[in-house]
Amino acid sequence: MTDIAVPQIGHLIGGEVFASDLREVHDPGRLDDVVARVAVGTADDVDRAVHAAHAAYPAWRDTPAPERVRRLFAAADALAAAGEELGPLLVREGGGVLGEAQTDFALGTGVLQYTAGLVEEFLRPVQFDDEQSFISVEKVPRGVVAAIVPWNMPIVLAMLKVAPALATGNTVVLKPSPFAPAALTLALQKMAAELPAGVLNVVHGEGDVGAALCAHPLVRKVGFTGGGVTAQKVIEATAPTIKNVTLELGGNDPAVILDDADVDAVLDRMLTGVFTRSGQICFAVKRIYVPRGMYRRFADELCGRVDEYAVGHGLDPRAGFGPLNNEAQFKKVLDLLDKTRNSSAQVVQLGRKLDASSWENGYYLLPHVVRDVEHSAPVSCEEQFGPVVPLIAYDDEEQAVRWANDSDYGLCASVWTTDPERGLAVARRIEAGSTFVNTHSFASLDLRMPFGGVKQSGIGREFGAAALPEYVEDHAIRHLK
Ligand code: NAD
């Protein structure tokens, strides 16, 4: 792999790409491989990028919506074309398998097109005209938007902010994660070439750069996806200048199997919801509640299916999933497994290693099912964000719903049953932003469903029509006759 050219990834500010200091990004599946050299950002870079976005804002805001839409469709074409080249790079910096990287690009492109397609109708003013007054309620953009994204699905998570922000007339400064900055930035450069200079900017860096972006007085809105502890810092940094925030945070999604469920049918659909991206998806199934009478059969069949996974480098076409993304995440999951092994629960390691001799050179982990675990155990209460799933036996539906809701999180959930009415009734009792019946997936990202969390899973909603209001203010104008 060392003979592959190593791209240099600069900041993108006001249409110019540049970098002074660079740092290396390594492949989490081949730690010796340098995948890219990426600009190291500073608060000064943030300030320049925000000023570039601020300077570009009035003209972009005043561009007629159909023209903005036309430009965004061109940017979506550029993103789709970039995805054809950049999938392998995304695999090598992020650790997923190639199909997941391609899906990330395809979903990102779809988000951009779908959102752009809604915006003209959305921006139409609501007007009232009577003998006394003429009132026009108009939606105006907020100004400069900071978009801050994590590493697990960087393309689509970036587009979920960039698309509604740009479509409604805001300009953007985006900060990628240091753990997957390269493919996203190269794609954004291609998209930016379809837009006026300064409309879409990128600044690289760690938490200090994110914090400077959140605190900058010219930034009027932060769209953030990441962990809860970081989100607290985002809230603190934005508080002095009273910014609007959308926060898409972690989850500990429960799957509740009802006692009439068909075990084979459940497993056919559920597994991708558990192990895609090695479980590093905010809305992966992270705990499964199974009726006690069905528990042993369910657990045995689940283990049988999970044992079919082959794990290896994401560019190996045999790999069902790849390594974890970074050392901290890897250690966190290993620690959780160690803690669980020292309890009464049974930790079952499954699947097989591809190229086992190279495993020491990456953050590889086989899939694990944790059997006979208590609802209150750390492995079921904490967001594992890895290929580990606990199975908890429950005695009655009341208990299952109570346990599903007994969490600081509330991102997504699923209910599994052969009775659609019962499924709907139980789904309505779950505390989550989205609850699925007989799936744990948005099925190619169905953007008609708003996406976001309750409780500590976040503030606000993304996806399609739900995202657009997050990026505008209502301006109410009244003319008294
Ligand atoms: P993270 O919170 O560590 O980092 C997210 C982003 O915030 C990165 O770009 C990071 O550099 C930046 N950042 C770090 N410190 C900052 C600060 N003080 N101010 C501003 N920005 C700062 O999260 P991660 O490890 O990259 O991603 C994993 C987490 O993201 C998990 O908890 C996962 O559940 C969550 N996630 C949520 C969703 C969702 O849509 N709800 C989707 C994917 C991931």
Side-chain angles (χ1 to χ4, degrees), residues 147-154 157 160-161 175-179 204-215 222 224-235 237 247-252 279-284 286 325-326 328-329 332 383 385 409 411-412 451-453 457-458 462-463:
I148 301 179
V149 295
W151 42 264
N152 58 342
M153 293 287 277
L157 293 174
L160 287 169
K161 294 148 191 64
K175 194 196 87 58
S177 165
F179 295 111
H204 292 283
E206 312 263 341
D208 57 328
V209 167
L213 199 46
C214 291
V222 177
F224 171 84
T225 297
V229 173
T230 317
Q232 290 173 17
K233 295 180 188 162
V234 169
I235 291 170
L247 303 174
E248 294 292 353
L249 311 179
N252 189 13
Q280 302 168 116
I281 299 270
C282 51
F283 70 97
K286 299 201 177 100
N325 170 272
N326 61 70
Q329 189 57 40
K332 183 187 144 188
E383 183 189 35
F385 227 54
Y409 294 108
L411 192 56
C412 300
F451 175 67
S457 288
E462 293 190 325
F463 285 21

Side-chain angles (χ1 to χ4, degrees), residues 270-478:
M270 183 191 274
L271 281 187
T272 52
V274 183
F275 292 107
T276 296
R277 203 60 188 81
S278 320
Q280 302 168 116
I281 299 270
C282 51
F283 70 97
V285 173
K286 299 201 177 100
R287 47 197 173 118
I288 305 178
Y289 294 95
V290 187
R292 204 169 291 283
M294 187 195 280
Y295 188 83
R296 178 176 289 275
R297 180 173 162 228
F298 187 92
D300 289 346
E301 290 200 20
L302 175 73
C303 287
R305 302 270 191 121
V306 175
D307 205 29
E308 291 165 16
Y309 273 100
V311 182
H313 193 276
L315 291 180
D316 183 335
R318 298 170 298 169
F321 61 82
L324 300 196
N325 170 272
N326 61 70
E327 188 178 13
Q329 189 57 40
F330 184 56
K331 284 192 171 154
K332 183 187 144 188
V333 181
L334 290 182
D335 282 353
L336 201 51
L337 282 171
D338 280 346
K339 250 191 265 176
T340 311
R341 281 194 193 94
N342 290 328
S343 73
S344 58
Q346 191 194 346
V347 177
V348 190
Q349 178 177 284
L350 298 154
R352 74 190 161 90
K353 299 178 179 180
L354 298 169
D355 295 328
S357 61
S358 64
W359 272 47
E360 291 302 308
N361 194 27
Y363 303 126
Y364 291 103
L365 195 59
L366 286 169
H368 288 71
V369 173
V370 184
R371 297 177 67 144
D372 305 329
V373 64
E374 300 288 328
H375 157 70
S376 56
V379 74
S380 57
C381 292
E382 292 175 22
E383 183 189 35
Q384 316 95 1
F385 227 54
V388 176
V389 70
L391 294 187
I392 302 123
Y394 71 81
D395 293 310
D396 57 49
E397 199 177 289
E398 281 307 306
Q399 187 180 50
V401 171
R402 195 169 66 249
W403 280 351
N405 291 337
D406 180 25
S407 172
D408 290 338
Y409 294 108
L411 192 56
C412 300
S414 53
V415 179
W416 301 79
T417 174
T418 47
D419 177 348
E421 292 300 316
R422 189 178 169 204
L424 205 56
V426 175
R428 290 197 167 111
R429 299 175 61 202
I430 304 279
E431 296 165 0
S434 312
T435 300
F436 311 104
V437 178
N438 290 341
T439 180
H440 199 105
S441 134
F442 284 93
S444 312
L445 228 58
D446 191 329
L447 297 169
R448 294 171 300 180
M449 286 184 77
F451 175 67
V454 302
K455 299 190 270 187
Q456 293 183 30
S457 288
I459 297 176
R461 292 291 180 270
E462 293 190 325
F463 285 21
L468 292 169
E470 306 271 345
Y471 289 87
V472 296
E473 306 272 13
D474 276 341
H475 184 196
I477 300 169
R478 181 183 193 210

Side-chain angles (χ1 to χ4, degrees), residues 15-82:
E16 302 289 322
V17 176
F18 75 94
S20 36
D21 291 344
L22 293 166
R23 66 170 188 89
E24 293 178 344
V25 176
H26 291 253
D27 183 337
R30 291 177 188 135
L31 295 173
D32 302 338
D33 275 8
V34 177
V35 175
R37 292 195 175 83
V38 177
V40 177
T42 63
D44 283 347
D45 297 319
V46 168
D47 190 51
R48 256 177 290 160
V50 172
H51 275 98
H54 191 248
Y57 171 60
W60 183 246
R61 175 197 60 202
D62 296 341
T63 301
E67 171 60 11
R68 282 205 304 265
V69 169
R70 190 192 66 71
R71 296 253 195 173
L72 289 175
F73 273 99
D77 290 345
L79 178 62

Side-chain angles (χ1 to χ4, degrees), residues 167-211:
T168 49
N170 303 275
T171 53
V172 170
V173 179
L174 184 140
K175 194 196 87 58
S177 165
F179 295 111
L184 171 60
T185 304
L186 292 174
L188 291 169
Q189 286 173 9
K190 298 245 161 67
M191 287 173 54
E194 303 295 336
L195 303 167
V199 165
L200 178 56
N201 307 274
V202 181
V203 181
H204 292 283
E206 312 263 341
D208 57 328
V209 167

